[in-house]
Amino acid sequence: MRSRFLMLAGLLALGLFGAAAQAAEEVNLYSARKEELIKPLLERFTKETGIEVNLVTGKADALLQRLQSEGRNTPADLLLTTDAGRLHRAREAGVLQPITSTVLENAIPASYRDPDGYWYGLSLRARPIMYVKGKVDPAELSTYEALADPKWKGRICIRSSSNIYNQSLVASMIASNGVKTTESWARDFVANFAQPPRGGDRDQISAAAAGRCDIAIANTYYLAMMLNGSDATQREAAEKVGVFWPNQADRGTHVNVSGAGVTAASRNKANAIKLLEFMSKAESQRWYAETNHEYPVLEGVAWSDTLEDWGQFMADAVNMGRLGELNAEALMLMDRAGWK
């Protein structure tokens, strides 16, 4: 499947980028977001600026590998991907370059962007505790740390340690609690799993709704898409689940970003920065919030109705860059704790 993607992406690059090479104003984007979740915004950008956007979509890790293999010959000007851990990997791989922009610095809080300007967060994704209504009293819940209590034995569903969302969650706990305390927590937390980790976030929610566990850890936009999607089975499962915001008395609920950075080999750097700035504007942030059910990074932008229903919460203010820096430590810790 991967080779097929690379072949298709290569043809797209040759075709789209080759044809667009004749254009006076363009920007070439590698996006881990599906086309339907980004293209309407890009079309608005072109309409507003006259700059054409040539889009290649793919899996996040495949796009990063492609950028690395293409090196200085890559046609990409901008990499759009998910999770601060991946953005940090892109920086460490040398495929991004630092940029400065007053527009971006004014719009995006410092904790949601790379301190040296290699990448900027464009939307927020929260990873709270989800519980089965009627089986778990929200009053029983408090923090991620409290899920290590023996009373939750056999009641928790969560993805595997290979999932970067979980790696970033553990990295945030290391940043707050240190390695020793977090590893002790992880051992007890893993002992409470209802089943060996498998599947994605939607699978954890569905497993909870089906009675295989009482607690699921998942990103909120998955639950929102299940609630607002056309699949009746997923809607029914999602309606059985409630959202609890943990750690409201201390550091706040774990959040992550989707974000973008200008590639090191960009031939259209100025246009890439213009596109980044466009995506940080209130109108773009509102589109993100309503279409993807992610939280805007720009304060004051309205949330989707579903997000409003789940209420306000305090988010962990740890700098997203720390999640990437601590990723390797988090993964080794999860391995030692037996988190498959």
Side-chain angles (χ1 to χ4, degrees), residues 7-335:
M7 180 179 71
L8 289 171
L11 290 172
L12 280 170
L14 288 171
L16 292 177
F17 293 172
Q22 305 303 316
E25 293 288 348
E26 65 173 0
V27 60
N28 301 321
L29 172 63
Y30 281 4
S31 171
R33 283 208 175 282
K34 295 179 180 177
E35 183 173 314
E36 63 268 25
L37 297 180
I38 188 68
K39 192 172 182 180
L41 197 60
L42 303 179
E43 290 173 343
R44 292 188 190 185
F45 171 73
T46 298
K47 185 176 181 180
E48 183 176 301
T49 65
I51 300 170
E52 295 291 336
V53 182
N54 307 306
L55 173 67
V56 169
T57 60
K59 296 291 186 183
D61 292 334
L63 288 177
L64 177 55
Q65 290 172 10
R66 178 178 171 141
L67 270 177
Q68 289 179 271
S69 64
E70 290 174 337
R72 302 299 301 178
N73 295 320
T74 183
D77 298 302
L78 199 61
L79 172 66
L80 174 64
T81 191
T82 56
D83 200 285
R86 284 199 183 95
L87 289 161
H88 181 78
R89 287 178 189 172
R91 171 181 173 167
E92 292 296 293
V95 300
L96 301 180
Q97 64 173 296
I99 62 166
T100 57
S101 163
T102 302
V103 173
L104 293 173
E105 290 168 5
N106 288 338
I108 302 170
S111 59
Y112 300 144
R113 48 185 161 90
D114 180 80
D116 298 318
Y118 281 85
W119 54 262
Y120 292 82
L122 297 171
S123 62
L124 284 178
R125 23 187 55 209
R127 195 164 183 78
I129 297 170
M130 298 181 188
Y131 63 93
V132 179
K133 298 172 184 174
K135 294 182 70 175
V136 175
D137 183 346
E140 297 180 81
L141 300 167
S142 57
T143 64
Y144 298 107
E145 287 83 346
L147 294 180
D149 190 286
K151 77 176 184 179
W152 298 110
K153 191 171 183 60
R155 301 174 68 187
I156 298 173
C157 286
I158 191 168
R159 293 169 79 156
S160 74
S161 62
S162 64
N163 173 247
I164 197 164
Y165 304 155
N166 286 339
Q167 294 167 17
S168 289
L169 169 62
V170 172
S172 76
M173 297 182 74
I174 293 174
S176 180
N177 302 329
V179 172
K180 185 177 180 180
T181 299
T182 304
E183 183 167 340
S184 177
W185 165 82
R187 291 182 189 282
D188 294 336
F189 180 63
V190 169
N192 289 340
F193 287 0
Q195 59 185 14
R198 58 176 179 266
D201 278 13
R202 292 183 194 231
D203 296 309
Q204 313 311 314
I205 296 167
S206 295
R212 294 197 288 276
C213 50
D214 298 335
I215 295 289
I217 305 296
N219 288 352
T220 47
Y221 56 86
Y222 286 112
L223 183 62
M225 289 183 179
M226 291 172 74
L227 285 168
N228 293 281
S230 59
D231 188 319
T233 302
Q234 289 207 353
R235 279 203 310 275
E236 183 179 349
E239 287 167 356
K240 294 180 180 179
V241 173
V243 172
F244 180 83
W245 302 111
N247 296 83
Q248 295 303 283
D250 43 58
R251 68 181 182 279
T253 297
H254 173 62
V255 296
N256 210 311
V257 293
S258 68
V262 177
T263 65
S266 174
R267 297 177 179 82
N268 301 286
K269 180 179 176 181
N271 290 344
I273 294 173
K274 286 180 182 176
L275 179 54
L276 264 177
E277 292 175 343
F278 175 82
M279 288 192 282
S280 74
K281 288 183 175 180
E283 182 182 355
S284 302
Q285 291 282 305
R286 189 177 305 112
W287 185 87
Y288 256 96
E290 293 175 353
T291 304
N292 298 335
H293 298 289
E294 291 183 292
Y295 295 91
V297 293
L298 183 65
E299 291 187 7
V301 174
W303 298 357
S304 71
D305 291 341
T306 300
L307 299 187
E308 287 287 354
D309 288 344
W310 294 332
Q312 300 284 326
F313 67 98
M314 180 177 71
D316 191 343
V318 65
N319 188 288
M320 295 289 113
R322 289 290 290 155
L323 304 184
E325 293 167 2
L326 293 169
N327 179 270
E329 186 74 67
L331 187 53
M332 290 188 291
L333 183 157
M334 296 164 85
D335 286 344

